[in-house]
Amino acid sequence: MNRYVKPLALRPAPSVDVPEVAMVMAAGLGKRMRPLTATRPKPLVEVAGKPLIDHALDRLEASGVKKAVVNVHYLADALEAHVAKRRGPMKIVISDERAQLLETGGGLVKALPELGADPFLSVNSDNLWVDGPVDSMKLLASNWDDDRMDALLLLVPLARANCHGGRGDFHMSPTGTLRRRRANGVAPFVFTGIQMISKRLFEGDLPDGPFSTNILWDRAIEAGRLFGTVHQGLWFDVGQPQSIRRTEDILAGA
């Protein structure tokens, strides 16, 4: 007889605590955002009067995160100087990738010594989200099941993926397990760039140097340990210059 598996909740438990540490992915080259990134790193591109990275850091701090680890590579001095000026209770630590850009998976591996929490949060600094009726970090924490999960991804329905030109990333079962979109197909959910990760995801042989988080996700999918839960608010893929005005217009009317 199959064991009943409870579906993931749409709302967080009132008393849930989010992980105290978050990784903020900010080392990319920002090629799609040119020419705006010719003189500044993409996380410092302003949307609605504030750099993208500050949107992410502010929301993490408001959720109760105590420490953010920010990786840097392209125009690293400017980004490091910017986050050093922040004032608030959240500690910010730099993971330096000046010597070599390590991509998403390699960047997480390099930062692991600073990511003391297990599980921890990870967010991409080039996506912008607005919480709906629930805090997104608390939603992840409330749905986390350490016995079943190695990673829990925050997803948004493709129909609500503002400024996103893709065809979706994942299909999700009623219990939250994920499988990838087939080649040339369409999937109903898009990854928001926000996830909660167990350090188990990094066990075993890993590539040296740069590699994508997709390698880790594929392992988790095969083991039935990659899960998703649905974002309840607004989300924007601010990947290109033309996305900025559209994002600001939607935010102004929200």
Side-chain angles (χ1 to χ4, degrees):
M1 180 180 296
N2 293 330
R3 182 172 67 91
Y4 171 73
V5 180
K6 182 180 178 181
L8 299 189
L10 293 176
R11 293 182 178 274
S15 60
V16 68
D17 293 324
V18 304
E20 293 190 351
V21 181
M23 178 78 186
V24 180
M25 309 300 292
L29 298 175
K31 292 181 179 180
R32 291 193 303 142
M33 191 61 89
R34 291 175 179 170
L36 297 181
T37 51
T39 57
R40 55 184 160 177
K42 187 176 180 180
L44 294 187
V45 171
E46 290 195 3
V47 179
K50 183 162 51 175
L52 282 165
I53 194 166
D54 285 333
H55 284 282
L57 291 171
D58 287 350
R59 299 212 177 278
L60 289 172
E61 190 170 77
S63 296
V65 172
K66 301 293 190 291
K67 176 182 177 182
V69 180
V70 179
N71 66 343
V72 298
H73 173 77
Y74 176 64
L75 300 177
D77 290 349
L79 185 54
E80 188 170 1
H82 177 82
V83 298
K85 296 176 183 176
R86 285 182 59 91
R87 295 292 179 266
M90 186 170 66
K91 179 181 179 181
I92 298 179
V93 175
I94 297 297
S95 181
D96 194 336
E97 296 181 25
R98 284 176 173 85
Q100 183 181 29
L101 181 60
L102 294 172
E103 299 184 32
T104 51
L108 285 168
V109 169
K110 180 178 175 61
L112 280 178
E114 290 287 353
L115 297 169
D118 191 8
F120 61 90
L121 296 166
S122 177
V123 305
N124 293 347
S125 63
D126 59 352
N127 296 324
L128 191 154
W129 77 96
V130 177
D131 290 332
V134 301
D135 181 294
S136 301
M137 302 304 107
K138 290 185 178 180
L139 181 66
L140 284 171
S142 184
N143 281 305
W144 181 259
D145 185 337
D146 204 60
D147 291 334
R148 292 194 289 156
M149 301 175 182
D150 287 339
L152 176 61
L153 279 54
L154 188 68
L155 306 175
V156 65
L158 179 59
R160 290 199 286 110
N162 293 297
C163 308
H164 185 71
R167 294 184 295 177
D169 300 314
F170 294 104
H171 299 268
M172 183 165 54
S173 76
T175 58
T177 55
L178 300 181
R179 63 180 176 86
R180 289 191 181 276
R181 172 179 62 84
R182 292 179 179 176
N184 300 320
V186 176
F189 294 104
V190 174
F191 175 51
T192 63
I194 303 166
Q195 58 184 319
M196 191 164 169
I197 308 173
S198 168
K199 290 187 175 180
R200 284 188 301 272
L201 200 64
F202 304 92
E203 294 176 352
D205 293 332
L206 295 174
D208 293 327
F211 72 95
S212 171
T213 310
N214 283 310
I215 292 175
L216 306 175
W217 286 349
D218 287 342
R219 290 183 184 180
I221 289 172
E222 186 175 355
R225 297 184 62 83
L226 187 72
F227 283 73
T229 191
V230 180
H231 178 51
Q232 302 297 301
L234 296 172
W235 179 82
F236 303 88
D237 181 355
V238 193
Q240 302 177 66
Q242 58 267 32
S243 302
I244 296 175
R245 179 61 181 273
R246 176 62 177 156
T247 298
E248 291 176 337
D249 287 347
I250 295 174
L251 288 173

